[in-house]
Amino acid sequence: MSANQHTTNRPLVIASIMASMAMVAIEATIVSTVMPQIASELGGLHLYSWVFASFLLAQTAMTVVFGKLSDLYGRKPIMFVGIAVFVIGSVLAGFSWSMPAMICFRLIQGIGAGAIQPVSLTIVGDLYPARERGKVQGYLASVWAVSAVVGPMIGALIVQKLSWAWIFWVNVPIGLAAAAGFWFFLHEAPTVRRSSIDVVGAVLFTVGIAALMIALTEFGVGNSGVALAWGLLFVVTLVLFIAQERRAADPMVSLKLWGARMIATVNGAAMLAGMVLIGITTFLPMYVQVVLERSSVTAGLTLTMVMLGWPIGATLTSRTFHRIGLWRMVVVGAALIPVGTSTFALLGAGSSPVLPAIGSFIIGLGMGVMSLSSLILIQEGVELSQRGIATASNVFSRNLGSALGAAFFGAVFNFGLTRGDGTMMFSDDQLRMLLQGVHGSVAGDAGIRLALGSSLHLTFLMMLVVSLGVVALALLLPKEGLESHGAKVGDREAARSTE
């Protein structure tokens, strides 16, 4: 056992990690709940989607950068930077005077989140042996589950009793408490790596990912010309980035590491799983509310089942992977995702909401099994000096999958609602009125439900196709050395505990 584990108070460090993650998790649900009121006060409704896109853009672009920096300078200082940036962004967001200002400050929050998420998982990997990691991952997954349920209620309460600015300012005491926890209870061994920072690579990577994210966002809202321009910038930056990383002494992104078959396959599966997850999050509530004619509460509960299954899957994995093997666990987790997705493809207008709830739970179970076994594979398969960047690559892949999924499934959904002459079957206002319970003619409402049900069915079928891709990639994992890898990890930990 390493020296830092003797002096580090692991339970209190995990509490600090959970507080840090709670800031990021609850912010998403609170902001989405309260954003309509903020937009009505600040104006700039046409910029509405950018309040969310700017956060995701910055978070995705900076994840790998901060993962690399945590390898160079240690987890603790990078965690402090992430918390500080997130809290500063939160304070500024509360003072937003316009929608462009809000977008700018949300981007700052996203930069902080880009450090908090991967470095938190890396700290867990440093402090806990693989056998114990699943239980901790279950705790972290529960933070997201609780946030998904509690966030909207807290948002509604804050707006009712206080100013909407407090949905951002509430992060200040949470962030300070988390930072204090890391300061007093996390004790790392001194980091003595001498290495040049690949500044050019970091800048090119950030610009390239930002360009890709903007292109996807613009494509998702129908601005194909703007999306093409940003897409071209991404291609140019990608070429320059690859050239830079090949000649850099200590590259920001090691092409050898990312190109290794095990890491490339696991991250590819994580990206496709991220696509499926964002697709369900976006379109399942709409189907339950409009097509199945159920309440928004019921729609929310069907989706929350994902976050119920996730920690259960992670906990089961932590208890069984050393006997079954990590390769088999990845394949089992991947196989559960299309099983769950197939339930959405079977939905009809007369279906019970129990069916999509079961599907959501199965997907959450599969995500919990696959994500933890993949994370252990990656963290145990690289040197300690590369654990931060390897962990960040997995988080990055899932976030990128969310961005790709939002654009791709959004395009599929819009295609399903487009007539032969290129016009939409109904207007946004008609859909909004139906969701708010303001009914028009019976025939008109029935027509909207029918058109929406048909389009969402097509979208769910495409989700099923993508989820089958997750299984295909999992089966491509090299079996050599992985079938018994779980047992080897367990043996290694047993030997470590007897030292």
Side-chain angles (χ1 to χ4, degrees), residues 431-454:
L431 177 59
R432 192 178 301 112
M433 289 170 65
L434 195 59
L435 285 169
Q436 292 172 351
V438 181
H439 299 286
S441 67
V442 175
D445 287 353
I448 292 174
R449 293 185 201 280
L450 185 63
L452 200 66
S454 176

Side-chain angles (χ1 to χ4, degrees), residues 343-356:
T343 62
F344 305 134
L346 296 172
L347 285 174
S351 299
S352 165
V354 173
L355 183 60

Side-chain angles (χ1 to χ4, degrees), residues 49-370:
S49 63
W50 274 102
V51 174
F52 303 97
S54 62
F55 183 95
L56 184 61
L57 184 155
Q59 182 185 19
T60 305
M62 297 306 295
T63 293
V64 173
V65 175
F66 282 121
K68 177 67 174 181
L69 291 176
S70 76
D71 285 335
L72 294 177
Y73 298 108
R75 322 301 184 204
K76 191 170 175 178
I78 302 305
M79 201 66 182
F80 284 145
V81 170
I83 292 172
V85 172
F86 192 88
V87 169
I88 289 169
S90 299
V91 171
L92 293 173
F95 287 111
S96 296
W97 58 90
S98 66
M99 195 66 93
M102 172 66 76
I103 291 167
C104 178
F105 299 143
R106 284 280 290 169
L107 189 139
I108 294 172
Q109 278 188 309
I111 293 172
I116 291 170
Q117 196 176 2
V119 179
S120 293
L121 294 175
T122 308
I123 291 172
V124 173
D126 289 345
L127 294 183
Y128 286 86
R131 193 187 294 258
E132 297 178 35
R133 223 169 285 165
K135 188 188 295 183
V136 179
Q137 295 292 350
Y139 295 151
L140 301 186
S142 70
V143 170
W144 293 88
V146 171
S147 299
V149 177
V150 174
M153 291 188 289
I154 293 176
L157 188 64
I158 287 176
V159 170
Q160 188 178 2
K161 303 293 184 182
L162 303 165
S163 162
W164 58 258
W166 284 97
I167 68 170
F168 299 105
W169 294 342
V170 74
N171 290 321
V172 175
I174 299 174
L176 291 175
F182 288 119
W183 178 267
F184 290 111
F185 304 117
L186 177 61
H187 303 286
E188 291 185 299
T191 305
V192 293
R193 286 195 67 197
R194 289 187 178 182
S195 179
S196 58
I197 302 175
D198 180 19
V199 176
V200 175
V203 171
L204 286 171
F205 181 85
T206 305
V207 171
I209 296 303
L212 175 62
M213 298 283 285
I214 293 171
L216 291 170
T217 304
E218 293 294 338
F219 177 76
V221 296
N223 298 333
S224 54
V226 177
L228 180 61
W230 283 103
L232 288 173
L233 176 61
F234 164 70
V235 172
V236 172
T237 311
L238 178 64
V239 172
L240 294 174
F241 173 73
I242 292 173
Q244 166 64 19
E245 297 308 273
R246 281 182 169 170
R247 68 182 184 83
D250 189 13
M252 178 59 65
V253 172
S254 169
L255 299 180
K256 182 179 178 182
L257 175 71
W258 282 51
R261 182 177 167 186
M262 186 264 286
I263 290 181
T265 307
V266 165
N267 287 346
M271 186 182 73
L272 293 183
M275 289 180 69
V276 173
L277 200 57
I278 196 67
I280 294 164
T281 305
T282 306
F283 295 107
L284 180 59
M286 189 186 298
Y287 193 97
V288 174
Q289 281 184 261
V290 179
V291 182
L292 301 186
E293 299 185 53
R294 304 288 176 151
S295 68
S296 57
V297 174
T298 302
L301 287 173
T302 59
L303 191 59
T304 304
M305 294 300 289
V306 172
M307 300 314 297
L308 181 63
W310 198 308
I312 293 174
T315 303
L316 288 173
T317 301
S318 69
R319 293 177 177 176
T320 56
F321 79 86
H322 53 281
R323 293 194 302 270
I324 297 175
L326 286 170
W327 182 85
R328 290 191 182 92
M329 294 304 294
V330 172
V331 172
V332 168
L336 286 170
I337 295 175
V339 171
T341 311
S342 64
T343 62
F344 305 134
L346 296 172
L347 285 174
S351 299
S352 165
V354 173
L355 183 60
I358 292 171
S360 294
F361 178 79
I362 294 172
I363 289 172
L365 199 65
M367 291 292 292
V369 172
M370 192 182 85

